[in-house]
Amino acid sequence: AHGGVLTWDTSIAADGIITAGTGTWQNGAGNWNNGTTSSGINWNNATPDVATFAGTDGNYAITVGGAITCGTPLTFANDGYTLSAASPQTITIAGTVAVASGKTAIIGTNVNLLRSGGAWTLSGPGTLNLSGSVSNNSATAASIGSGITVNVLAGGSLYCGSSIQVSSASGGATVNVNGGSVTVGGSGNMIVNSSSSGSATMTLANGGSVSTLSTGAGAFRFGTSGGSAVFNLDGGTLTTAKLYEGAVAVLSTNNFNGGILKAVSGTTAGATFLTGLDCANVRNGGAVLDANGQNITIGQALLHSTISGDNGIDGGLTTVGNGGGTVTLTGVNTYTGPTTINGSNTLAIVAPYSTLGSSVL
């Protein structure tokens, strides 16, 4: 039995000397150092050890050779470790994945970090790249914070059966969904900045997706009680029941830049689908809305972007999708690009008679 802190070590020559390198992580196999031995320690799933990857920065391929049970935290103290597997493998984690400052770790192909029966936490202030997955099915909210940057790449995913809270710990957080997917199940929220101060930024791009599956109580929320929250919709699709601000003290900004904002099927929050934010900028890529057969109201003013480098004529407003539904504008908009109605959507405009950019197509 172990249940202690072990450090990955491919050449255990003397106590306290850690040699980074490639190898296979599996139950009953060596390559682990407990700090007091000069011979390799075998990993023990039965009494879960705590894993630390350290040593000299480099590029190290760690093959996960079977199911692993790991204590908390799973720590990447140095640069260049990639966990991958030849076929789908699960590392059941006890809670926290931590990446040290200035370091990058990769959860690669066929590896799923699963938190069973509780919350997972991703903490920094390093960088975690995902082309594998981090998931749980519990009703406990998951956290991303302590200055970490999480890049969810093509093939990568984050899933929580409850809420995902970005910046629930000190130091803020950045999440880039760059071709991968982030999904919140149940009635949970996707919360950008769940702390009382600091900042959190989330960016969706390159065909990625962010989805909140709730039709009512759960949605995409900017903030909880303070600080700043920014969401950049640069590509891909955000599907949700509504976008809203969690507290007046939060500085909330949504930047439309070519990605699609789509109403979840069956939403009960259509009348307040997008309203109450501090700022909703329309950038060069434009605001793209898919009612998805729902009747949704955009009470938020869609503003022409004044972000440095953006064009004088922005990308305007476009409706897409063939599911029908009505998009109703009630804000005083200042976007300057064209308004284009595609698919089977209906666009409705009510007082105070929003402007519709440079043209209506």
Side-chain angles (χ1 to χ4, degrees):
H2 300 304
V5 177
L6 299 184
T7 302
W8 177 261
D9 192 347
T10 57
S11 179
I12 302 175
D15 294 350
I17 305 299
I18 300 300
T19 303
T22 62
T24 299
W25 184 7
Q26 60 188 23
N27 186 43
N31 288 341
W32 295 96
N33 191 330
N34 65 2
T36 62
T37 182
S38 57
S39 60
I41 301 294
N42 291 336
W43 186 265
N44 184 7
N45 280 343
T47 308
D49 296 310
V50 176
T52 296
F53 291 90
T56 306
D57 292 349
N59 292 297
Y60 308 116
I62 307 300
T63 300
V64 180
I68 295 291
T69 303
C70 182
T72 191
L74 167 57
T75 301
F76 296 91
N78 284 70
D79 224 11
Y81 284 99
T82 299
L83 273 53
S84 64
S87 60
Q89 301 294 342
T90 297
I91 300 175
T92 302
I93 57 175
T96 299
V97 180
V99 186
S101 178
K103 310 302 180 182
T104 297
I106 301 171
I107 305 302
T109 306
N110 286 327
V111 174
N112 174 34
L113 302 185
L114 172 66
R115 172 65 161 142
S116 179
W120 49 258
T121 298
L122 306 181
S123 67
T127 297
L128 182 65
N129 293 336
L130 291 178
S131 50
S133 60
V134 182
S135 63
N136 81 356
N137 296 309
S138 78
T140 309
S143 302
I144 303 172
S146 297
I148 195 169
T149 295
V150 177
N151 297 311
V152 189
L153 308 175
S157 65
L158 293 175
Y159 174 81
C160 183
S162 180
S163 298
I164 297 179
Q165 303 177 353
V166 180
S167 189
S168 58
S170 61
T174 300
V175 178
N176 301 310
V177 187
N178 196 356
S181 66
V182 175
T183 306
V184 176
S187 58
N189 289 282
M190 180 71 238
I191 306 172
V192 180
N193 199 353
S194 55
S195 65
S196 58
S197 60
S199 62
T201 300
M202 189 171 190
T203 299
L204 176 59
N206 292 332
S209 67
V210 175
S211 305
T212 60
L213 302 184
S214 170
T215 58
F220 193 99
R221 189 168 92 199
F222 292 82
T224 297
S225 57
S228 68
V230 176
F231 181 65
N232 299 308
L233 189 46
D234 290 346
T237 302
L238 166 61
T239 305
T240 188
K242 64 175 180 176
L243 275 74
Y244 72 107
E245 186 179 80
V248 234
V250 179
L251 181 58
S252 55
T253 303
N254 188 89
N255 292 317
F256 287 102
N257 195 24
I260 300 170
L261 173 57
K262 181 178 181 179
V264 72
S265 181
T267 178
T268 59
T272 55
F273 182 71
L274 174 58
T275 189
L277 306 185
D278 290 293
C279 183
N281 291 310
V282 179
R283 304 193 65 187
N284 295 345
V288 186
L289 304 175
D290 183 353
N292 191 30
Q294 316 304 303
N295 296 324
I296 58 174
T297 298
I298 310 298
Q300 184 73 41
L302 303 179
L303 306 178
H304 170 66
S305 171
T306 57
I307 295 173
S308 177
D310 280 358
N311 300 332
I313 302 296
D314 55 49
L317 171 66
T318 302
T319 67
V320 298
N322 293 311
T326 298
V327 177
T328 300
L329 304 180
T330 63
V332 182
N333 303 314
T334 64
Y335 67 86
T336 56
T339 300
T340 305
I341 306 167
N342 288 329
S344 57
N345 292 300
T346 298
L347 182 66
I349 308 158
V350 300
Y353 302 108
S354 307
T355 58
L356 294 179
S358 56
S359 60
V360 179
L361 306 174

